Amino acid sequence: MTDGKRTPWVVGVSGASGTPYAAAVIRGLLAAGESVDLVVSRASRLTLLDETGIAFRDAHWRDDLGAWLEQGADGKPATFARPELDDVRYWGAGDLAAGPSSGSYPVKGMLIVPASTACVAGVALGLSKDLLQRVASVTLKERRRLVVAVRETPLNGQTLRHLVALDEAGAVVLPASPAFYAGATHIQDLVDFVAGRVLDAAGVPHKLYRRWEGELGGASRSREASGGEK
């Protein structure tokens, strides 16, 4: 794909718990042949280190991202094959001159996975204090798709008002809430369900979870077919 035709999805990773969700979404985008522009907030680096043991470094982002995408939601390394990263671009969170900071930079939209309440507040108020928030603001003003996978519980009134503001601005508010009708037998199944719903909201095809087909008992049959484990 040439640079002139490249139209990526921006994936923003904030400091909320839930880095396996981000990894699953990125894997899903790449598997669908989509280009990815990645923004990792400063706070999310601490969460990533805590949840995966991976220290994400600007100068070595490709190696660190590859290790992250290989890891399963249970923390086991080499769970997934390392995807090709040729069509992934990484932008530092402090780089407010980055390509996606401008509405003239062509992107399909932005997926914030996971979204912390601080990130939600910043985007709802239009603060643009870092590149992640700036790109989200640009996405809204350009009327592009913005999916905000908020990961927090419980939610107070202030955050709920911020989420309503985002909904009214045109964003898709998507709580990171796994469902169980798909027949989950492993923590990765629950993560993939949320990631799949994010991709659904973006209109990106995937096969991350078993869809509801209107028949009761599908979850138990799915577990039996898989032997009850992965």
Side-chain angles (χ1 to χ4, degrees):
M1 182 179 298
T2 63
D3 286 348
K5 296 181 180 180
R6 185 179 184 276
T7 309
W9 284 97
V10 179
V11 176
V13 186
S14 80
S17 176
T19 54
Y21 292 131
V25 166
I26 296 170
R27 285 193 298 265
L29 289 171
L30 295 177
E34 299 286 346
S35 303
V36 173
D37 275 24
L38 178 64
V39 181
V40 178
S41 76
R42 291 187 176 91
S44 69
R45 294 168 188 253
L46 299 176
T47 308
L48 183 64
L49 180 62
D50 184 55
E51 294 183 345
T52 70
I54 296 170
F56 198 90
R57 303 159 295 175
D58 286 345
H60 303 281
W61 70 266
R62 191 176 295 274
D63 290 337
D64 297 336
L65 176 60
W68 182 15
L69 297 183
E70 285 181 332
Q71 189 175 109
D74 58 1
K76 293 182 179 178
T79 298
F80 298 96
R82 181 172 299 207
E84 292 292 332
L85 301 177
D86 292 342
D87 209 14
V88 176
R89 287 182 181 172
Y90 170 73
W91 304 95
D95 185 4
L96 293 179
S101 68
S102 170
S104 66
Y105 183 87
V107 302
K108 292 182 178 179
M110 183 180 191
L111 315 175
I112 305 179
V113 188
S116 66
T117 54
C119 174
V120 166
V123 176
L125 297 174
L127 298 182
S128 296
K129 72 172 186 177
D130 61 8
L131 181 61
L132 194 158
Q133 292 183 13
R134 170 61 184 169
V135 178
S137 295
V138 169
T139 302
L140 289 175
K141 81 178 182 67
E142 296 293 331
R143 302 297 190 266
R144 296 166 180 160
R145 181 60 57 94
L146 174 63
V147 181
V148 180
V150 60
R151 214 305 309 163
E152 186 60 86
T153 190
L155 297 172
N156 62 29
Q158 187 176 42
T159 298
L160 291 170
R161 286 188 286 272
H162 289 153
L163 292 173
V164 170
L166 289 177
D167 176 78
E168 292 175 343
V172 176
V173 175
L174 195 152
S177 302
F180 295 86
Y181 61 77
T185 60
H186 189 275
I187 185 175
Q188 189 66 53
D189 296 323
L190 300 176
V191 167
D192 284 347
F193 179 87
V194 172
R197 295 299 288 150
V198 171
L199 295 177
D200 287 344
V204 175
H206 66 87
K207 296 181 179 179
L208 287 177
Y209 67 88
R210 186 186 68 84
R211 297 183 181 276
W212 175 252
E213 297 178 347
E215 297 181 5
L216 296 176
S220 59
R221 288 194 295 273
S222 178
R223 293 190 187 96
E224 291 171 359
S226 66
E229 61 181 1
K230 265 196 171 183

